[in-house]
């Protein structure tokens, strides 16, 4: 029996190890859409809104709520400045049932004090949460004004296993690649169908996640976290080549995620008659290159005469351990002892760190592709 029962569960929480304690760097991804989201909120609340209806925001794949806390505070301030202090605001958080909701509640009520919770400064704000998978309907129909999701929708509803890599995007097997691409397209439509049901007519959805850039005649394709995923793939394969993991374990070590390109995000929406019938309108898909903070920090240190390459490799590996640990832990046979599984996982991440260290930081992709989709329900 695994420690956590799902391949894509992030961090189980605990003193100093809640999601926000270890993944605060992800706030840069959330901040990337902030200005545009606040403009959407301004427009939404200036439209005639029923006086006795709350303004409802939903955050899907919210983890412990730490990353979107500042954005939520700004959204609440925007609603307040337009509608006054009596306007009720409902913030709904969604994540998998195994998520660390304990830290979410502690953060929202200020027991974990940083970042500061909006609930401490604003009246008439109500918070609820659900542990329902976002590939299902999570909230009542026509109940959401603004649906948000950051760095979560690249997680698929199930893994598409491949033998030759930890990330199906890199497989050389055409059939396996096509199976993954189909799963990613079907999941995206399923996610959007459920959000469309939940949105109020006129409501907006902003769904932003790890993205990729299709190949052009000038440049090869590039996926978010390209170098990190390559280093991981090599380290997992090394364990197999050294006889440490079996062929079945090699295959089960496939991350159930797909960083879609704007084309891969747009085509399934355009092709779905059902989404159109339900009233979903695509406004924009934006692909941004967000600076890799590990490389930027290395450059800053270098200017002060410190060439901390070890720090870059260690930092990136630690950052990646949180979202991927459970994939590799659960890939290991249930016949293995707990101690053996922990040792293999440690070897795996050590191998990843060494692979990253063998690359000069200047040769690491200095940005991450991040794709943001803006939709509205008519
Ligand atoms: C990388 S974290 C992102 C957390 C936060 N939104 C942020 O911006 O950093 C991805 C989150 O998505 C959640 N997640 C993955 N698959 C999910 C699913 N099918 N349904 C709901 N949540 C899911 C994970 O549990 C995790 O909390």
């Amino acid at each position: 029996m695994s420690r956590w029962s799902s391949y894509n569960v992030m961090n189980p929480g605990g003193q100093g190890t809640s999601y926000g304690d270890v993944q605060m760097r992800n706030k840069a991804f959330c901040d990337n859409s902030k200005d545009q989201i606040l403009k959407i909120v301004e427009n939404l609340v200036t439209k005639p809104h029923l006086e006795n209806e709350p303004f409802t925001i939903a955050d899907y794949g919210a983890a412990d709520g730490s990353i979107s806390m500042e954005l939520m505070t700004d959204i609440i301030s925007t609603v307040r400045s337009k509608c006054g202090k009596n306007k009720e605001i409902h913030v709904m958080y969604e994540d998998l049932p195994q998520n660390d909701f304990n830290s979410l509640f502690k953060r929202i009520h200020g027991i974990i004090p940083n970042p500061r919770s909006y609930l401490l400064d604003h009246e008439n704000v109500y918070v609820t949460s659900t542990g329902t998978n976002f590939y299902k309907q999570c909230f009542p129909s026509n109940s959401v004004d603004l649906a948000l999701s950051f760095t979560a929708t690249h997680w698929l509803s199930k893994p598409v296993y491949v033998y030759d890599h930890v990330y199906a995007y890199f497989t050389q097997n055409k059939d396996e690649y096509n199976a993954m691409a189909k799963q990613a397209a079907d999941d995206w439509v399923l996610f959007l169908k459920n959000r469309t049901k939940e949105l109020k007519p006129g409501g907006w959805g902003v769904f932003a996640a790890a993205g990729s850039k299709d190949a052009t005649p000038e440049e090869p394709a590039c996926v978010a976290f390209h170098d990190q995923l390559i280093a991981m793939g090599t380290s997992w394969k090394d364990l197999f080549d050294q006889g440490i993991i079996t062929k079945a374990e090699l295959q089960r070590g496939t991350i159930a995620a797909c960083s879609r390109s704007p084309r891969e995000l747009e085509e399934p929406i355009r092709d779905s008659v059902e989404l159109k019938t339900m009233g979903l309108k695509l406004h924009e898909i934006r692909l941004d290159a967000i600076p890799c903070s590990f490389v930027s920090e290395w450059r800053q240190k270098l200017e002060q005469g410190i060439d901390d390459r070890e720090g870059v490799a260690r930092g990136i590996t630690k950052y990646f351990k949180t979202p991927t640990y459970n994939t590799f832990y659960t890939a290991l046979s249930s016949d293995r002892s707990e101690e053996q599984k922990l040792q293999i996982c440690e070897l795996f991440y050590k191998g990843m760190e060494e692979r990253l260290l063998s690359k000069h930081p200047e040769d690491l992709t200095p940005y991450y592709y991040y794709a943001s989709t803006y939709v509205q329900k008519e």
Side-chain angles (χ1 to χ4, degrees), residues 54-57 69 71-80 84-93 108-109 117-128:
F55 182 78
T56 301
I57 313 145
M69 189 75 86
L71 172 67
M72 289 295 178
T73 306
D74 291 347
I75 291 173
I76 290 163
S77 301
T78 304
V79 179
R80 282 280 164 271
K85 62 180 172 29
N86 292 330
K87 179 78 183 166
E88 290 188 340
I89 299 173
H90 187 186
V91 183
M92 309 198 294
Y93 289 100
I108 295 304
H109 292 280
S117 168
Y118 49 80
L119 218 50
L120 304 176
D121 302 315
H122 291 279
E123 301 275 315
N124 282 328
V125 180
Y126 304 93
V127 175
T128 57

Side-chain angles (χ1 to χ4, degrees), residues 124-239:
N124 282 328
V125 180
Y126 304 93
V127 175
T128 57
S129 62
T130 178
T132 305
N133 191 318
F134 59 44
Y135 289 114
K136 294 186 170 169
Q137 185 168 350
C138 303
F139 302 112
S141 301
N142 303 312
S143 65
V144 177
D145 290 282
L146 180 65
L148 301 173
S149 182
F150 303 100
T151 325
T153 50
H154 52 275
W155 284 100
L156 302 178
S157 62
K158 58 178 189 233
V160 178
Y161 293 119
V162 300
Y163 276 105
D164 57 347
H165 215 284
V166 295
Y167 201 57
Y169 177 94
F170 290 116
T171 183
Q172 298 299 311
N173 182 313
K174 194 108 188 83
D175 291 341
E176 286 173 348
Y177 182 89
N178 289 341
M180 182 275 298
K182 180 170 181 339
Q183 181 74 48
D186 291 350
D187 278 352
W188 181 224
V189 172
L190 184 59
F191 176 87
L192 290 171
K193 269 191 212 163
N194 284 304
R195 303 300 76 83
T196 308
K197 282 184 206 153
E198 293 162 350
L199 280 172
K200 294 179 189 172
W204 277 79
V206 181
F207 309 121
S212 65
K213 196 161 189 261
D214 287 334
T216 62
E218 296 79 36
E219 278 180 61
C222 184
V223 68
F225 314 119
H226 207 100
D227 305 310
Q228 291 81 346
L229 292 164
I230 297 278
M232 266 188 173
T234 316
S235 178
W236 192 242
K237 177 79 172 23
D238 283 348
L239 294 181

Side-chain angles (χ1 to χ4, degrees), residues 89-123:
I89 299 173
H90 187 186
V91 183
M92 309 198 294
Y93 289 100
E94 183 279 343
D95 208 292
L96 289 169
Q98 300 90 342
N99 179 55
D100 176 20
F101 282 101
N102 205 325
S103 292
L104 170 75
F105 296 137
K106 285 183 179 158
R107 287 185 181 279
I108 295 304
H109 292 280
I111 298 165
I112 302 177
N114 292 314
R116 186 173 173 85
S117 168
Y118 49 80
L119 218 50
L120 304 176
D121 302 315
H122 291 279
E123 301 275 315

Side-chain angles (χ1 to χ4, degrees), residues 2-13 19 63 95-101 133 155-156 255-256 320-330 349:
S2 69
R3 287 196 301 171
W4 314 319
S5 55
S6 178
Y7 60 86
N8 54 351
V9 167
M10 304 282 131
N11 195 300
Y19 185 84
D95 208 292
L96 289 169
Q98 300 90 342
N99 179 55
D100 176 20
F101 282 101
N133 191 318
W155 284 100
L156 302 178
I255 300 168
F320 260 78
K321 207 168 169 178
T322 302
T324 58
Y325 192 88
N326 218 31
T327 296
F328 297 101
Y329 181 89
T330 55
Y349 286 105

